[in-house]
Amino acid sequence: MTIKTAGQWLRRASERIAGISDTPGLDAEVLLRAVCMLDRTALAIAPEAPLKMEQLERLENLLVRRAQGEPVAYLLEEKEFWSLTLWVTRDALIPRPETELLVECALDRIEDTTAVQVLDLGTGSGAIALALARERPAAQITATDVSLRALEVARANARAHGLQNVDFRAGHWLNAVPGQCYSLIACNPPYVAYDDPHLQTWHTKYEPQLALISGKDGMEALQQIIPAAPRALVPGGWLVLEHGHQQEPAVDHLLHQARFDSIIHYRDASGKSRVSAARVSESFAE
Ligand code: GLN
């Protein structure tokens, strides 16, 4: 059958990606609306609107990539996070909804005053840093990444959203900000074990492995960051971390070893342990 209308394309496209996507109908609709610049209502009103040849070509091209497993966020180079539409490329992890929990936990601990300095370690597309910058306009946010290409994406996102209270530094974890002290450090490090079967799923295959994988048990980055963090925090400052849902005991142990107190673990919307927050003691001294 020759495809002529939006409705015909939608039906055919969702069948074609049914094996690869958990949400084939939605994916097809999102692609169609982006290419044809249609909102939901327009599509609902006129499902049999004819497609132009160039729209059809672009749609077929995106559909082939989607059928191979490429995530919709990379196809459209765009992902919503914390009410911000972010530019995403394959140089950065696609921001996950569960990371909004990390943003909430950090915001609970950041006052909106000019004295507050906040660090986002391994910012990727800038999701965490930009959400914090948006919600706390008086605070000064520093975002780091070891990947210069990820930093370019994050910088472009800050510019696109007109956020001027964020600056960017290149480097490996805290080496990016030598001698600096912060009221709060937020970090969503890589925490997946290199042989985790989850890495065989379609979406993670397209993401930078550097942002996902952290050694044999997924703990390598956390083992570097947690012991080093107290030196980069003001007395009473907070470290807020995302981690895997089975890593809570190991993270808790590392936080105790590094002499953090007030250690709190949080669960995400699906009930999985996902974020830990820990305060460096008021009397912490080297
Ligand atoms: N939660 C992500 C996943 O499931 C991993 C993100 C990360 O390593 N920071 O793939």
Side-chain angles (χ1 to χ4, degrees):
M1 178 184 89
T2 324
I3 303 283
K4 293 207 182 80
T5 70
Q8 287 169 344
W9 188 84
L10 269 184
R11 283 187 291 280
R12 224 269 316 261
S14 25
E15 276 164 28
R16 210 154 124 204
I17 55 178
I20 195 99
S21 172
D22 295 336
T23 52
L26 179 66
D27 290 6
E29 186 186 319
V30 168
L31 295 178
L32 180 80
R33 287 202 279 119
V35 168
C36 302
M37 289 187 281
L38 289 171
D39 63 23
R40 263 223 158 115
T41 324
L43 185 60
I45 294 171
E48 300 314 317
L51 293 171
K52 299 194 183 94
M53 189 54 84
E54 61 273 18
Q55 290 173 331
L56 206 48
E57 273 173 28
R58 173 133 170 71
L59 282 168
E60 285 304 304
N61 183 297
L62 292 174
L63 189 62
V64 168
R65 288 168 60 193
R66 186 70 194 94
Q68 286 164 354
E70 192 164 348
V72 173
Y74 285 152
L75 297 178
L76 300 181
E77 296 198 2
E78 182 173 293
K79 178 77 184 175
E80 292 287 326
F81 181 83
W82 197 268
S83 79
L84 299 165
T85 302
L86 297 175
W87 176 44
V88 289
T89 70
R90 285 173 65 175
D91 296 313
L93 206 69
I94 299 168
R96 312 280 204 264
E98 57 266 30
T99 301
E100 295 189 344
L101 174 64
L102 173 69
V103 171
E104 280 170 30
C105 292
L107 286 174
D108 285 346
R109 296 173 170 83
I110 305 173
E111 281 178 67
D112 197 17
T113 66
T114 49
V116 172
Q117 301 275 337
V118 176
L119 180 65
D120 172 21
L121 280 179
T123 197
S125 63
I128 296 167
L130 301 185
L132 299 178
R134 159 66 60 88
E135 298 296 331
R136 296 289 181 269
Q140 181 57 43
I141 322 288
T142 300
T144 75
D145 210 289
V146 74
S147 156
L148 297 180
R149 291 159 70 131
L151 278 181
E152 264 172 49
V153 174
R155 268 200 193 97
N157 279 320
R159 268 198 306 274
H161 289 284
L163 295 166
Q164 290 176 358
N165 55 334
V166 203
D167 66 321
F168 297 91
R169 302 280 157 78
H172 187 64
W173 305 132
L174 286 160
N175 296 342
V177 285
Q180 301 297 305
C181 266
Y182 299 89
S183 299
L184 183 137
I185 301 175
C187 179
N188 175 16
Y191 55 73
V192 180
Y194 72 83
D195 58 353
D196 191 319
H198 168 69
L199 294 168
Q200 300 310 314
T201 59
W202 53 268
H203 65 280
T204 52
K205 280 195 197 167
Y206 286 83
E207 297 188 297
Q209 303 298 291
L210 189 70
L212 280 170
I213 301 174
S214 198
K216 153 159 107 18
D217 54 2
M219 287 296 297
E220 231 164 58
L222 288 158
Q223 277 156 357
Q224 290 167 12
I225 294 161
I226 295 174
R231 259 176 288 124
L233 285 166
V234 300
W238 285 90
L239 174 64
V240 186
L241 296 166
E242 181 171 319
H243 50 75
H245 63 98
Q246 285 154 339
Q247 290 166 341
E248 183 187 304
V251 168
D252 190 81
H253 180 69
L254 286 171
L255 290 168
H256 276 108
Q257 267 190 337
R259 291 186 287 155
F260 279 96
D261 57 21
S262 308
I263 301 168
I264 310 168
H265 305 289
Y266 295 88
R267 292 180 185 279
D268 65 18
S270 64
K272 290 183 175 158
S273 175
R274 176 70 58 198
V275 170
S276 292
R279 202 176 64 131
V280 82
S281 101
E282 293 282 354
S283 58
F284 179 83
E286 271 291 275

